[in-house]
């Protein structure tokens, strides 16, 4: 009887999930975001992004995504990975301007798989991410954010080509 109840509850939970086919997987324009489509596959874009991060002086600090965990549960979803990047030089420089601003590090890139098998790269511009802290961090934090904007744009350009 206990197994039946567990099976019933598991089934109800699974069938109560919204169908992925109905979800909006596109990333529309959002304030402070950059989003780029590409003809590359999800895996190729992930690999090229990691190489571009390194060649532009940052490091991959975190990676997270639900795709593999969902597959282990028997659920197929499009590729989806968040890659957090930063480096110690920027961390120290930001900390000198605003301790609170460091909650935003690492700053993230978002790689998503599209229905047609291609992938997209999105990210919030560092100046947008650090914007709420400009009052405390002042002009120096604004300069750091602008420098990071240029690096993030270069990483995106390099990874997309």
């Amino acid at each position: 009887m206990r197994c039946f109840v567990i099976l019933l509850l598991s089934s109800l939970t699974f069938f109560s999930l919204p169908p992925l086919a109905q979800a909006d997987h596109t990333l529309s324009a959002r304030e402070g975001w950059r989003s780029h489509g590409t003809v590359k596959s999800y895996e190729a874009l992930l690999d090229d992004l990691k190489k571009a991060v390194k060649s532009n002086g940052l490091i991959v600090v975190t990676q997270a995504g639900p795709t593999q965990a969902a597959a282990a549960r028997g659920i197929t979803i499009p590729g989806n990975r968040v890659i957090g990047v930063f480096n110690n030089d920027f961390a120290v420089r930001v900390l000198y301007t605003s301790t609170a601003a460091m909650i935003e590090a690492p700053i993230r890139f978002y790689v998503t798989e599209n229905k047609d098998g291609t992938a997209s790269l999105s990210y919030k511009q560092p100046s947008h991410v650090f914007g709420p802290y400009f009052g405390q961090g002042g002009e120096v934090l604004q300069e750091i954010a602008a420098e990071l904007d240029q690096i993030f744009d270069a990483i995106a350009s390099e990874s997309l080509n």
Side-chain angles (χ1 to χ4, degrees):
M1 180 68 173
R2 183 178 222 189
C3 289
F4 174 75
V5 171
I6 291 172
L7 181 61
L8 178 63
L9 290 174
S10 297
S11 297
L12 290 174
T13 300
F14 178 76
F15 289 113
S16 68
L17 292 174
L20 288 174
Q22 294 177 2
D24 179 12
H25 296 292
T26 60
L27 291 174
S28 57
R30 288 169 166 75
E31 183 181 347
W33 283 55
R34 299 242 195 247
S35 191
H36 307 277
T38 180
V39 297
K40 292 183 179 187
S41 71
Y42 171 74
E43 290 297 333
L45 183 55
L46 270 177
D47 290 341
D48 290 345
L49 174 63
K50 291 174 189 176
K51 290 174 190 170
V53 166
K54 184 176 182 178
S55 72
N56 282 277
L58 298 180
I59 60 170
V60 172
V61 178
T62 60
Q63 294 187 58
T67 309
Q68 285 89 0
R73 296 175 43 220
I75 302 169
T76 301
I77 61 172
N80 188 294
R81 179 84 53 95
V82 176
I83 308 285
V85 304
F86 220 58
N87 71 21
N88 187 259
D89 177 59
F90 282 109
V92 170
R93 290 170 57 200
V94 168
L95 278 170
Y96 276 124
T97 70
S98 169
T99 301
M102 273 304 293
I103 189 85
E104 305 298 345
I107 303 172
R108 300 171 310 264
F109 284 97
Y110 189 27
V111 179
T112 52
E113 185 176 27
N114 303 315
K115 290 179 183 179
D116 65 0
T118 64
S120 295
L121 177 67
S122 303
Y123 57 97
K124 292 181 184 178
Q125 292 179 280
S127 58
H128 181 74
V129 172
F130 286 128
Y133 309 95
F134 287 165
Q136 181 182 19
E139 188 176 314
V140 175
L141 183 57
Q142 292 176 33
E143 290 169 1
I144 294 167
E147 185 179 346
L148 283 165
D149 282 349
Q150 291 178 353
I151 293 171
F152 269 59
D153 289 344
I155 290 169
S157 178
E158 191 174 315
S159 65
L160 295 168
N161 293 321

